[in-house]
Amino acid sequence: MMQVPPLPDTTYWSGHKVLALAEQYENEGFVAESYELYRRVAHLVATTLPVDRAASLLGQMMASGAVGAAEEIFHEMVETCGPHPSSTAYAASALMTAGVADLAYYFLDAVLAKYQTSEGELESLAAYLNAGRRSELAVYAFTAAARNKPVATVLRYSALLRKRGHSNSAVGLLVSVAAGRPDEAAPLLLALRRAGRDREVEPVLTGLAATGDAACAALLDALSEQGAEEDIKVLIRLYSVRPFGSIASIAAAVRSMDVARLLVPALLGCSEEEQTAYFLSEQAELSAAQRGRLAALLVSAAPADCPDALLAWYAGWADPAGLVWLVEQLTDSGVPLEPVLAATARRRDFEPLREALHRLGNHQLAYRLAGLRSEFGL
């Protein structure tokens, strides 16, 4: 077994001498040690080694877990490109060839944000990437560049992609921007309509409807604040195909109660089996405020349509006032109280709950629950 040579103190060495030693170590099989030496001269790696070689080295470092060394070389490669679209295209393509596609996209993000900000540079970069048969990177370059641009520029970039035959990517660009900047979603959709591009509105909304629950809630809030009622209705319709737990999370997170109420039909439209499974699983462990809102939404809208599992779940944690409200809602609607009373009587905090009900003047309910608890042998 070959003995690993110690790493020398290279503080006073020339960079080229350190680079030469790194290549020697790598050739002799001392890979981890070579990566540390490459890290010490990351600038030279990015400026003197062929781009293909530097990209390949990055790929090897990432695969072996030498993330720190890879990050320093990656940073230097970004710095080296500067405002030169041809260099950017070459480096991004090399990273793709090296099998580190994620780094290729991150590379475009970094360079475009720092250096290549004009539309002319973006067009040149896309042309170079397309010439190198990297159309996926060319499309992504437009998306990355659009993230912090005004709405008018975003629309122009999407139009360019559509003109080049990338219709899906044009929509994807708009979705990416609107999802990342929900406060500008309504202006973006309005700008599409004013530009005579109405047919793109629903595809964009469809793309936005596929984002995460928190993003969906934020989007609904933003559209509500800007009075985009028609767009909200489209999104509500699109959300109706999501699983019950997802719709529940959106309804619990959205700030506007009026918008939350619009989600009730979608929630109650899910199968009773799906609703029951949700309320009996750990997924239902929302915050107290979220749980209260969700239960209040469903019970106040259609108490007779709520599954027993929901009612029992609510009764199992609601505060005394909430429990009284629930019983009143169900009584007024003629809904049997057995599931609610049984769940309440089994609560661990029954004694404080019973005392609180007496303080609220609900003596009959308190006595009834105490009798049930006795029947259960608790």
Side-chain angles (χ1 to χ4, degrees):
M1 183 176 179
M2 295 179 62
Q3 185 176 0
V4 178
L7 284 174
D9 180 358
T10 59
T11 304
Y12 300 104
W13 289 28
S14 71
H16 289 283
K17 183 177 179 181
V18 176
L19 181 60
L21 182 62
E23 292 181 316
Q24 178 185 331
Y25 272 35
E26 184 182 8
N27 290 333
E28 293 176 355
F30 305 119
V31 178
E33 290 72 25
S34 73
Y35 291 164
E36 167 56 22
L37 292 169
Y38 281 126
R39 185 195 64 76
R40 296 179 187 180
V41 287
H43 178 71
L44 280 180
V45 171
T47 55
T48 65
L49 292 185
V51 174
D52 292 344
R53 165 72 173 128
S56 177
L57 187 59
L58 268 180
Q60 294 166 18
M61 288 177 170
M62 292 298 292
S64 68
V67 178
E71 286 178 346
E72 293 206 26
I73 293 173
F74 179 86
H75 172 74
E76 293 295 340
M77 287 179 69
V78 171
E79 295 290 328
T80 298
C81 276
H84 306 296
S86 59
S87 299
T88 303
Y90 188 19
S93 297
L95 288 167
M96 290 290 282
T97 301
V100 280
D102 286 349
L103 286 185
Y105 291 111
Y106 293 150
F107 184 78
L108 289 178
D109 282 333
V111 175
L112 287 167
K114 190 166 187 177
Y115 294 115
Q116 294 162 30
T117 57
S118 73
E119 289 188 38
E121 289 168 336
L122 178 61
E123 285 277 5
S124 295
L125 173 59
Y128 282 119
L129 289 168
N130 280 320
R133 298 182 179 180
R134 293 295 184 184
S135 61
E136 73 276 34
L137 290 178
V139 167
Y140 182 79
F142 278 99
T143 303
R147 287 186 185 134
N148 298 311
K149 294 291 192 297
V151 167
T153 304
V154 173
L155 261 62
R156 190 160 57 251
Y157 286 178
S158 69
L160 280 171
L161 285 173
R162 185 173 293 280
K163 185 178 179 180
R164 293 181 175 199
H166 301 292
S167 298
N168 291 338
S169 297
V171 171
L173 184 153
L174 297 172
V175 170
S176 175
V177 170
R181 293 148 54 183
D183 290 343
E184 295 185 52
L188 187 150
L189 295 170
L190 179 61
L192 276 177
R193 293 185 173 102
R194 287 178 174 173
R197 297 167 60 179
D198 303 68
R199 289 182 298 178
E200 296 177 56
V201 171
E202 183 147 345
V204 170
L205 289 172
T206 300
L208 290 170
T211 56
D213 297 341
C216 287
L219 179 62
L220 286 175
D221 281 328
L223 292 175
S224 176
E225 289 171 2
Q226 296 169 35
E229 295 180 4
E230 292 305 312
D231 294 328
I232 289 174
K233 289 178 181 177
V234 173
L235 283 173
I236 296 295
R237 171 171 57 80
L238 294 169
Y239 292 159
S240 66
V241 302
R242 295 170 80 112
F244 179 87
S246 174
I247 306 173
S249 295
I250 297 171
V254 71
R255 292 193 301 271
S256 168
M257 283 300 296
D258 289 338
V259 174
R261 289 189 189 97
L262 295 176
L263 290 163
V264 170
L267 286 164
L268 295 177
C270 295
S271 69
E272 184 171 333
E273 291 78 10
E274 187 179 3
Q275 295 183 55
T276 300
Y278 175 80
F279 288 113
L280 295 180
S281 75
E282 293 182 358
Q283 287 180 302
E285 293 181 0
L286 306 173
S287 70
Q290 289 174 324
R291 290 185 297 181
R293 165 182 278 198
L294 180 60
L297 276 173
L298 296 174
V299 174
S300 61
D305 294 330
C306 293
D308 288 349
L310 183 154
L311 302 176
W313 170 72
Y314 186 22
W317 56 263
D319 61 21
L323 180 61
V324 171
W325 174 84
L326 176 62
V327 170
E328 290 175 347
Q329 291 289 314
L330 298 180
T331 301
D332 292 344
S333 301
V335 178
L337 296 178
E338 284 75 8
V340 167
L341 298 179
T344 307
R346 290 186 171 93
R347 284 174 57 159
R348 293 182 178 179
D349 63 342
F350 178 77
E351 287 303 322
L353 177 65
R354 181 179 61 81
E355 293 173 4
L357 288 174
H358 280 301
R359 287 196 298 272
L360 290 171
N362 292 92
H363 306 296
Q364 185 177 0
L365 178 57
Y367 291 136
R368 188 173 178 183
L369 290 172
L372 268 178
R373 188 170 175 88
S374 178
E375 288 179 22
F376 296 148
L378 298 173

